[in-house]
């Protein structure tokens, strides 16, 4: 922070007066909108963004003035290494904030933040920083930096729930499209809707009724779907491809390996039309098979550890990884993905069938939001779309962010911060990072608004 702190205090009296007006509870000019500097450090991605939301006659619009990520290089460990990830945040966060300052909109009133080059930039209206869930030490780097900026600039801060940010990302995308003059203007998904949050650390099916009102319908009790795919990929991929991988997101490399032609490679995929077909054992031409998790129950729960374990045993049965042909690797990779994604789709269908009697009027659910790093997988989208179609939910609209907004990023943190700020929520400077933090208000911790540290205006 020593690089940026000297310039943090160069704020004019006019800016100070404007901040005092905010703290006094006066409303910002709705035509001017909201500007936030956002920080994300929950895992191994250090990310900073500058996000702005404006009101227009045709609807809300958003602009990402700056977004940059630095991912910790933990390839030598074939997975996320907590200490290396922490050190990466410490090495990179201040520099990213320094770069972001140069992308704040220019001040049109002569006040605001004066940079070293003499230009004046609009001061953010507030800071958005991920508060949880995630690795507590990593979260502390971002949250403490957010607090420092909040104090230096005398502006509020919002400690953002990471998973809430993921499920609100399609709303950001809609407003970004409006900034690009979408015709007709696009509208964010309206509550209520279902969300599937899928990443290396989370697999959760959520029913969202409002900004802070989310019900957990199913979650993984062992490992997340992204971790299962990464573990499977480490066994399936040839060693040469593992060495060439630019990150430890091996699931992405597996997708590229088994579907080199993209959508053309799974265009003929046919979903099981009945539950019986879904759980039927499929023996491959190589003599192995992968068992569907919870094949004999409709329990609303996910489990993916057995899939990666079965993949590992199949590889070991060949003696060594080298003895497997590329053709068998491709088939095993495709089957691992199919079983993972059909298990995800199956529980989503069960949830929709359970909700169907109540799915009328204002409670009608017509949208399925898919977000998180695994949401960028095109085969997943194919499986979900096909399942909904053959199981009587073809009317459901699937909404997923573009790949660069699926993975952990500060733009989604900024957008969630804006949504919470508009609803009147601020964070007290005493708030602490939360390793675990549910979305559901009926959970033991009270969900998004459960932990202390919130200020409601």
């Amino acid at each position: 922070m020593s690089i940026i702190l000297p310039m943090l205090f160069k704020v004019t009296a006019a800016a100070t007066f404007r901040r005092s007006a905010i703290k006094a509870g006066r409303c910002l000019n709705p035509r001017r909108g909201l500007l936030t500097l956002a920080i994300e450090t929950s895992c191994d991605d250090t990310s900073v963004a500058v996000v702005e939301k404006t009101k227009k006659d045709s609807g809300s619009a958003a602009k990402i003035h700056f977004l940059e990520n630095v991912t910790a290089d933990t390839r030598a460990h074939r997975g996320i290494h907590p200490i290396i990830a922490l050190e990466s945040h410490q090495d990179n966060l201040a520099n990213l904030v320094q770069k972001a300052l140069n992308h704040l909109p220019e001040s049109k009133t002569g006040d605001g933040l004066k940079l070293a080059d003499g230009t004046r930039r609009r001061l953010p209206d507030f800071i958005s920083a991920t508060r949880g869930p995630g690795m507590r030490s990593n979260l502390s780097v971002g949250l403490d930096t957010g607090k420092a900026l909040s104090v230096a600039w005398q502006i509020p801060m919002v400690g953002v729930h990471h998973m809430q940010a993921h499920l609100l990302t399609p709303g950001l995308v809609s407003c970004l499209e409006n900034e690009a003059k979408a015709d007709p203007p696009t509208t964010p998904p309206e509550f209520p809707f279902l969300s599937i949050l899928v990443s290396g650390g989370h697999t959760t099916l959520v029913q969202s009724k409002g900004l802070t009102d989310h019900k957990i319908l199913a979650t993984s009790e062992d490992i997340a779907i992204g971790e299962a795919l990464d573990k499977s990929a480490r066994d399936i991929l040839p060693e040469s491809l593992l060495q060439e991988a630019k990150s430890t997101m091996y699931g992405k490399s597996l997708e590229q390996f088994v579907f080199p032609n993209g959508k053309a490679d799974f265009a003929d995929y046919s979903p099981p039309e009945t539950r019986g077909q879904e759980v039927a054992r499929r023996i491959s031409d190589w003599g192995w098979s992968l068992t569907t998790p919870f094949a004999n129950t409709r329990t609303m729960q996910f489990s993916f550890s057995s899939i990666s374990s079965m993949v590992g045993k199949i590889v070991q049965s060949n003696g060594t990884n080298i003895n497997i042909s590329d053709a068998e690797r491709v088939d095993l990779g495709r089957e691992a993905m199919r079983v993972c994604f059909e298990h995800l789709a199956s529980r989503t269908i069960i949830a929709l069938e359970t909700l169907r009697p109540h799915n009328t009027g204002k409670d009608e659910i017509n949208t399925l939001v898919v977000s998180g790093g695994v949401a960028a997988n095109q085969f997943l989208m194919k499986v979900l779309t096909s399942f909904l179609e053959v199981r009587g939910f073809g009317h459901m609209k699937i909404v997923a962010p573009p790949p660069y907004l699926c993975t952990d990023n500060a733009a989604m943190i900024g957008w969630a911060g804006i949504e919470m700020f508009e609803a009147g929520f601020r964070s007290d400077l005493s708030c602490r990072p939360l390793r675990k933090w549910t979305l559901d208000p009926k959970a033991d911790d009270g969900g998004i608004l459960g932990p202390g540290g919130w200020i409601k205006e």
Side-chain angles (χ1 to χ4, degrees), residues 326-366:
D326 280 355
E328 186 174 359
R329 292 179 196 272
V330 168
D331 285 350
L332 183 56
R334 291 183 176 184
E335 185 67 359
M337 284 192 182
R338 181 192 69 80
V339 175
C340 280
F341 297 158
E342 288 192 354
H343 177 45
L344 196 69
S346 170
R347 263 46 197 177
T348 303
I349 293 298
I350 292 173
L352 288 171
E353 290 174 345
T354 303
L355 293 171
R356 179 178 274 162
H358 310 286
N359 193 15
T360 58
K362 63 182 180 63
D363 295 324
E364 187 172 4
I365 297 174
N366 294 311

Side-chain angles (χ1 to χ4, degrees), residues 252-283:
K252 182 177 180 180
S253 299
L254 180 64
E255 180 187 9
Q256 295 169 345
F257 176 67
V258 303
F259 297 122
N261 301 310
K263 296 180 180 180
D265 285 332
F266 51 77
D268 59 350
Y269 167 78
S270 297
E273 296 184 9
T274 65
R275 176 70 174 156
Q277 294 176 4
E278 180 185 321
V279 300
R281 188 182 181 193
R282 302 186 188 185
I283 301 177

